[in-house]
Amino acid sequence: MRRRGEKEEISKFTRQKKGQITIFVIIAILLISGIILFFVFRTQITPQKGESVETNINLFLSSCLNDNIQERIKLLAIQGGYAEPTGKDFMFNDEGVSKKIPYLCYAQESGSLCINQEPMLMEHLKNEMKDYLANDIRNCFDELTQSLDSEGYVVDATYTQENTEVDLIQKKALIKFDAQLALTKGDETTRHENFEVSVPTRIYELTNAVQDILNKEADSCSFGNYGFIYYIILHPQLNIERIKTANSDVIYKVQHPVSKEEFRFAVRNCI
C-alpha cells in the first residue's frame, strides 16, 4: 500500500509531465505557424508551378494597391471629385459632422443660370486620382523591390511618377505606371516594365451621371422640378437624391446601390 508521501510525489510528477507536454505542443504550434507564414509571404513573389515572376509581381502590386485605390476613389467621390475640396460646409442629419462640398455648377448673379465648373469632369477626376495615388504607388513599388531583394534577386528599379496614367471605364479603374525592373539571380536576368493595376469600382458610371446632371442644371432653371423627377425615372440603376438647403442651394447625392460609392456635389442655380 502506497504511503501519503508517495502519492504526493506521483501527483507532482504527473503535473510536471503534463506541463512539459503542454509546452511542447505550444512550441510545435508556433513552429508550424511560422513555417506556414514563411511560405505564404514568400509565394507573393516567388513563382509557383505554371506561374512567372511577371504574374506574381502583378499580383503583389494589385494586392498592395487595391484597398488604397478604392478608399481614395470613395473619398474623392464624396468630396465632389476633389482631394482638397473648397466650398461651403454642409451637415447631413444622419452624419452629425459638417463636410465641405464643392459647387460644381454655380450662378454668380441672382436669378441667372449656373455655370458648370467642371465641364470635363471625367478628365478632372483622373488627374485628381493620379496626384492622390502617387505616394501609394511609390510605397508599394518600394515594398515590391524590398521583397524581391529579400528573395535573393539583385534588383535594378526605376519609377517615374509623372508618367502615371488613370483610366476610368465601366466597372473598373485602370492604373498604369511607368516603372522598370531588372531582376538578376545567378546568371539569369529578366526585365519587367509598364505595370497596370485594375480595381473594381463604379466611379465611371457615377461620374457620367453627375456630368449629365450638371449639364441639365446649367441648361435650365426648371430642371429641379419635373425635369429631375423624369431623370431619376430614366436612371433606376442609381440612387439619386436632390436636397434643397435653407438658403436654396442644392446638394446632390448620386449613389451606386451595389458598390455603395456616392458622389456628392453642390449646385447654386437660378436663385
Side-chain angles (χ1 to χ4, degrees):
M1 189 172 186
R2 289 175 179 166
R3 290 178 300 202
R4 183 177 177 183
E6 290 176 339
K7 289 182 179 179
E8 290 176 352
E9 288 295 324
I10 291 171
S11 177
K12 183 177 180 182
F13 173 77
T14 303
R15 287 197 301 271
Q16 289 176 340
K17 190 171 182 181
K18 288 181 178 178
Q20 290 174 343
I21 292 172
T22 301
I23 291 171
F24 287 139
V25 169
I26 292 172
I27 292 172
I29 291 172
L30 290 174
L31 285 172
I32 293 170
S33 299
I35 292 170
I36 291 172
L37 287 173
F38 171 80
F39 282 106
V40 166
F41 285 105
R42 186 174 179 80
T43 54
Q44 284 188 332
I45 303 295
T46 304
Q48 304 300 299
K49 185 176 180 181
E51 292 182 339
S52 64
V53 174
E54 184 81 41
T55 299
N56 282 54
I57 288 174
N58 288 330
L59 288 173
F60 182 98
L61 291 172
S62 293
S63 176
C64 183
L65 285 168
N66 187 81
D67 289 345
N68 285 342
I69 293 174
Q70 288 186 325
E71 288 175 10
R72 302 294 192 200
I73 288 173
K74 287 182 179 180
L75 188 59
L76 282 173
I78 211 168
Q79 295 180 167
Y82 293 87
E84 298 179 0
T86 59
K88 278 188 177 180
D89 290 325
F90 295 94
M91 182 183 293
F92 296 94
N93 294 332
D94 58 341
E95 295 179 3
V97 179
S98 61
K99 295 180 180 179
K100 201 171 289 295
I101 299 178
Y103 289 93
L104 295 190
C105 200
Y106 191 83
Q108 294 283 358
E109 299 179 4
S110 178
S112 63
L113 283 168
C114 66
I115 298 174
N116 190 342
Q117 305 298 300
E118 292 294 347
M120 302 293 290
L121 182 60
M122 191 74 75
E123 292 304 312
H124 161 78
L125 195 59
K126 291 177 185 178
N127 290 330
E128 286 285 296
M129 284 181 61
K130 174 182 173 179
D131 295 337
Y132 206 14
L133 292 170
N135 288 336
D136 294 329
I137 294 173
R138 164 62 71 184
N139 292 337
C140 283
F141 192 68
D142 288 345
E143 287 181 29
L144 171 66
T145 57
Q146 291 168 12
S147 181
L148 288 164
D149 181 72
S150 69
E151 293 181 10
Y153 288 97
V154 176
V155 182
D156 182 14
T158 59
Y159 163 59
T160 307
Q161 177 179 317
E162 294 75 16
N163 294 338
T164 299
E165 295 181 12
V166 175
D167 194 13
L168 302 178
I169 59 177
Q170 284 191 339
K171 298 184 179 181
K172 68 175 73 172
L174 299 176
I175 316 299
K176 305 173 185 177
F177 49 100
D178 183 9
Q180 293 80 38
L181 280 175
L183 307 178
T184 302
K185 182 179 280 190
D187 297 329
E188 183 181 358
T189 298
T190 58
R191 300 185 183 280
H192 315 269
E193 60 183 10
N194 300 328
F195 302 102
E196 179 179 294
V197 173
S198 174
V199 176
T201 176
R202 295 304 182 99
I203 192 64
Y204 175 83
E205 290 88 337
L206 293 178
T207 305
N208 275 336
V210 170
Q211 187 74 78
D212 199 20
I213 291 171
L214 290 173
N215 291 338
K216 293 183 184 303
E217 284 278 6
D219 188 55
S220 173
C221 287
S222 62
F223 177 72
N225 301 319
Y226 299 111
F228 173 69
I229 296 173
Y230 185 61
Y231 187 85
I232 60 176
I233 291 174
L234 291 177
H235 297 80
Q237 75 278 16
L238 298 173
N239 298 327
I240 306 173
E241 291 184 62
R242 189 178 191 273
I243 306 165
K244 202 163 188 177
T245 67
N247 65 348
S248 297
D249 288 339
V250 170
I251 304 296
Y252 278 95
K253 297 168 69 174
V254 184
Q255 185 192 69
H256 195 284
V258 176
S259 69
K260 302 303 180 183
E261 294 164 307
E262 183 174 280
F263 204 119
R264 296 179 181 179
F265 61 98
V267 170
R268 184 171 181 80
N269 194 24
C270 300
I271 297 173

